[in-house]
Amino acid sequence: MAVRFGLLGDVVATVDDRPVALGHARQQCVLAALLVDVNRTVSVDQLIDRVWGERPPQRARDTLYGYLYRLRRSLADVPDVSITRRSGGYLMATDEMAVDLHRFRQLRDEARAERSEDDRLALFDKALGLWRGDPFSGLDAFWLDTVRTDLEQEKLTAELERVDAALRVGHHDEVLADLSRLVSGQPLNERLAGQMMLALSGAGRSAEAMEHYRRFRDLLVEEIGVEPSPHLQQLHREILTPDLAAGPAENGSPVPRQLPMPSGSFTGRSDELAQLDAALRTYGDTTGAAVAVSGTGGIGKTWLALHWAATHLDRYPDGQLFLNLSGFHPTEPPMTPAGAVRAILDALDVAPNAVPADLDSQIGLYRSLVAERRMLIVLDDARDPDQVRPLLPGSASCAVLVTSRNQMSGLVATEGLRPLPLGFLSRDEALHLLAGRLGWDRLSTEADAAGSIVAACAGLPLALSIVAARAATNPALSLQDLATELADQHGLDALTDRDAVADVRSVIAASYRALSAPAATLFRLLALYAGPDVSLPAVASLVGLPVQQVRGPLDELLGAHLVDLTGPDRYACHDLLRAYAGELLDDGDRASAMRRLHDHWLRGAHAAALTIEPHRDRIDLPPLAAGTTVASFTDSEQAQQWLDAERLVLLAAIDQAAESGMDGHAWRLAWAVATYLSRLSRWTDLASAQGTAVTAAQRAGDVVGEAHGHRDLGLALHQLGELANALSHLRRAGDLFGRLGDPAGEAYVALYLGWVHEGQGQHREALECDERALALFGEVGHLVGRAKALNAIGWDHARLGDHHRAADHCRRALALHEEVGNLTGAAKTWDSLGYVHHQRGDSDEASACYRRALVLYEQSDDRWGVAETLTRLGDVLHDAGDVETARNSWLRALRQLNEDNPVEIAELRRRLGRVGTP
């Protein structure tokens, strides 16, 4: 089925050209807010702001969740489309090219990168043909108005670029109608004026071109008080007297060709090259073209700039200037603006006695000399905006390419440079870089070693180049030798070079020395975080300061490309940068920062665990270290989002705590994530975390931690099919809880043992375990436990065929769950009642029970429970003859599962195969 979403006009969705009902206007706003950032998470706060702006309703979150629920239902049967809760918000997943907005941008970018003018024109036509009217037509929201304005500007720019392409292939008559329409809406747009003049002149209507220039000039002088730009004046002269059309005056001076030789092994960066190509294709604009390529040291900024420049020399017949500004040179000071301007004047062959004495006059002379000349100016390794500003030409005919470790946000904001951040190479790009230096034959004979080298260098081109150079200059040294050296030695020690410019440690040190003291302190401490990234509150805990006091140092590190922003208030640091930071960290700072960081993770995970499952039994926590930032949650939605964002971090933190001797933190963190991981059916992660917890608790002699670890490890192993090991750990947990005098702990173990027996078809053994759990919970008045045990007993009776007893126990369980407000317990019980009614042959009542269970499971974000109930609901519907709805239910269940659920996935595929779905 072909799915299409439309934003460039009315907000619509179609499946095989059939419309999908999207609800009223405000609900369509929610869909639009998600589709603009399709396949990316949009936070709940962002969604509320996008839909209601500064005047949200009193219960905005609840209203938003209602809209999301209805949208999910509308799109539930649409293949490969989903709205799911993710870290920090909601994500709409679908093929990006199914959304006309993103399809438009893709086709536009392809057109900009296309070398054939005819093909470029065809791609622009396809892109602009997607527009059906005003974006988000009929919807009213401040955010949509802002996006609508930006999109209309994008469309105008694409239309202007299409006109350029049409003019270059001689379609002068064809574009006149479009130009007349565009000029009427943009009468002071100088680029449009130039295009109209070219079109009229090319169509043999030079007199009309002259008249259009006269009217445009009069309007410009009257409205703004300025004359047309030199470029438009030159175009006027060329049309008036064609023989006078010429480039820069010849004065006998050599044309500067200063670009260094590009790297012969340049690889990858196709997206970045296309962006450069598009950004620097704007010769003739009133503002000129300038790009700031930024990234950490050794990322390949200069390689990219030189490679692009070498393949586009024809665009700049009047010369290319190259200045190494030494902004972050390991041994040399940065070049001053005065020295840089003087170097440019020398390159332009200005005699020494003709150079003015003061800097401002020198800058003026430089800009006068390059005015109206088609030149490329590469400013390499810039330190900051102040070093670059005097070197920017005043002419729109010149293109400027700046490279820096600094983001150059000041130049982006005030001078209009287009930012192009450069990231690390992918694995395939890194392998291609090595192959370019060493050849594919050598890599293929030691493929595993090559993969290890790529992993150790973590996508940093400079590191890969150093290793490749060593391998190329020492043929007797195998790739395995180099891989072993990288693994055995400190990573930075294996990436040294006599040339400081090519030594990874020296390159990083140059960036570090430029930091302020607070930023340098933070950089050192970032060596300590676990997992793929770190949140802002965790960073605050690292340094022991309030959140607002770490934003400044973080922004400085971001500007210097020593950290990356991975999401809203989430940061990551490259492995080699962290290795260098770790070398600078003393043991005292390390110990105190580690304690605060792990206290932050433990307190947050503990609070989240009790928020998503408030009826869970508590554990004691160690005292909180001073300076720790603690997360708190107002509802389960917030807690779930925090856990989603921190899942990989918390799993890594458990291992890090155990490895660092923080055994109490290790087992408590494992306890805190157990319910969350179970609901996601992440059994492998749960088993790994609890295995670490058991070892840590045993090492610390902590019986409570060991008992909890064995119990949850037993559950995970049961779900992974390791029955013997599961039983062993569960029995050990029961013994330990018995020694502790904890009947509730013993009761939960009995319930888990009942699940193991039930999974093996041993229903009477399961019943015995569950009845023992009921008795133990009764001893201590544990209402939630009693309710869970009653439901388990009801399930056992249902499996044994005693439906009357089954229903009785489940109803008693449901009454207790509703009394204490246990949503997940009630969901499980409604699921059990659905099974009972199905076995009795009452399909309608069974379906109703299962649907009530689904609502509660979805409120708790219990994906495992959702999958189980959807599977059983599909069984009921199939048996009732509703095959199509049964198929959809099984498909929805399949989407909830992951690689840890092979048995369940196989069972669902078997069901789907039975009804004709592969």
Side-chain angles (χ1 to χ4, degrees), residues 667-697:
W667 80 256
R668 288 179 173 88
L669 265 177
W671 177 92
V673 299
T675 297
Y676 168 72
L677 293 175
S678 297
R679 290 183 180 180
L680 295 181
S681 67
R682 291 281 179 185
W683 308 119
T684 299
D685 287 342
L686 182 61
S688 175
Q690 302 305 327
T692 301
V694 168
T695 302

Side-chain angles (χ1 to χ4, degrees), residues 802-815:
D802 190 341
H803 302 135
H804 177 75
R805 284 191 179 182
D808 178 64
H809 280 83
C810 289
R811 291 192 187 100
R812 290 166 60 195
L814 186 61

Side-chain angles (χ1 to χ4, degrees), residues 773-809:
L774 180 63
L776 287 167
F777 282 130
E779 289 179 15
V780 291
H782 198 299
L783 292 182
V784 172
R786 284 186 61 211
K788 291 180 178 180
L790 283 168
N791 179 52
I793 292 168
W795 178 266
D796 296 331
H797 282 303
R799 298 290 283 170
L800 289 166
D802 190 341
H803 302 135
H804 177 75
R805 284 191 179 182
D808 178 64
H809 280 83

Side-chain angles (χ1 to χ4, degrees), residues 606-798:
H606 183 264
L610 296 180
T611 303
I612 67 170
E613 183 50 88
H615 300 285
R616 193 174 176 193
D617 292 343
R618 271 57 169 171
I619 58 171
D620 293 329
L621 298 180
L624 183 68
T628 302
T629 299
V630 179
S632 60
F633 312 101
T634 58
D635 55 34
S636 60
E637 178 86 14
Q638 285 188 352
Q640 186 73 37
Q641 289 173 356
W642 188 87
L643 288 166
D644 288 342
E646 300 289 351
R647 178 172 67 89
L648 296 178
V649 171
L650 295 174
L651 292 171
I654 292 167
D655 292 334
Q656 186 188 60
E659 292 164 2
S660 304
M662 302 174 69
D663 292 325
H665 284 73
W667 80 256
R668 288 179 173 88
L669 265 177
W671 177 92
V673 299
T675 297
Y676 168 72
L677 293 175
S678 297
R679 290 183 180 180
L680 295 181
S681 67
R682 291 281 179 185
W683 308 119
T684 299
D685 287 342
L686 182 61
S688 175
Q690 302 305 327
T692 301
V694 168
T695 302
Q698 288 174 337
R699 186 167 50 235
D702 192 322
V703 179
V704 173
E706 187 182 352
H708 283 289
H710 278 297
R711 183 191 66 193
D712 292 331
L713 180 55
L715 170 65
L717 293 173
H718 163 56
Q719 296 295 147
L720 292 170
E722 298 184 29
L723 300 178
N725 284 337
L727 287 170
S728 174
H729 284 286
L730 287 172
R731 287 166 181 154
R732 177 61 176 157
D735 292 342
L736 292 172
F737 279 121
R739 283 172 48 192
L740 290 167
D742 184 349
E746 289 184 86
Y748 274 115
V749 172
L751 277 180
Y752 285 17
L753 284 167
W755 293 344
V756 174
H757 287 302
E758 193 276 330
Q760 296 306 296
Q762 300 165 349
H763 305 305
R764 295 207 175 277
E765 291 84 349
L767 180 59
E768 291 175 6
C769 290
D770 295 333
E771 287 177 337
R772 179 170 184 268
L774 180 63
L776 287 167
F777 282 130
E779 289 179 15
V780 291
H782 198 299
L783 292 182
V784 172
R786 284 186 61 211
K788 291 180 178 180
L790 283 168
N791 179 52
I793 292 168
W795 178 266
D796 296 331
H797 282 303

Side-chain angles (χ1 to χ4, degrees), residues 118 159 161 449 516 567 602 708 743:
D118 287 326
E159 288 178 312
E161 292 175 7
S516 66
L602 177 56
H708 283 289

Side-chain angles (χ1 to χ4, degrees), residues 838 843 847 871-887 889-890 911 914-915:
H838 186 200
S843 299
S847 295
T871 300
R872 288 194 268 272
L873 175 60
D875 293 343
V876 172
L877 295 167
H878 179 268
D879 291 349
D882 190 350
V883 175
E884 183 61 28
T885 310
R887 178 191 291 113
S889 185
W890 290 330
R911 286 172 167 85
R914 197 172 67 206
V915 295

Side-chain angles (χ1 to χ4, degrees), residues 1-6 12-20 22 78 98:
M1 290 188 283
V3 182
R4 294 287 182 268
F5 291 98
V12 295
T14 61
V15 178
D16 291 337
D17 296 325
R18 295 192 306 274
V20 176
L22 299 177
V78 179

Side-chain angles (χ1 to χ4, degrees), residues 791 794-795 798-799 803 806-807 810-811 814 826-854 857 868-877 879:
N791 179 52
W795 178 266
R799 298 290 283 170
H803 302 135
C810 289
R811 291 192 187 100
L814 186 61
K828 292 180 187 297
T829 308
W830 279 115
D831 178 88
S832 298
L833 284 168
Y835 180 79
V836 172
H837 287 297
H838 186 200
Q839 296 306 304
R840 284 175 164 176
D842 189 345
S843 299
D844 291 342
E845 191 64 31
S847 295
C849 290
Y850 282 138
R851 295 186 193 282
R852 295 190 71 167
L854 278 175
Y857 275 136
E868 284 194 311
T869 297
L870 282 171
T871 300
R872 288 194 268 272
L873 175 60
D875 293 343
V876 172
L877 295 167
D879 291 349

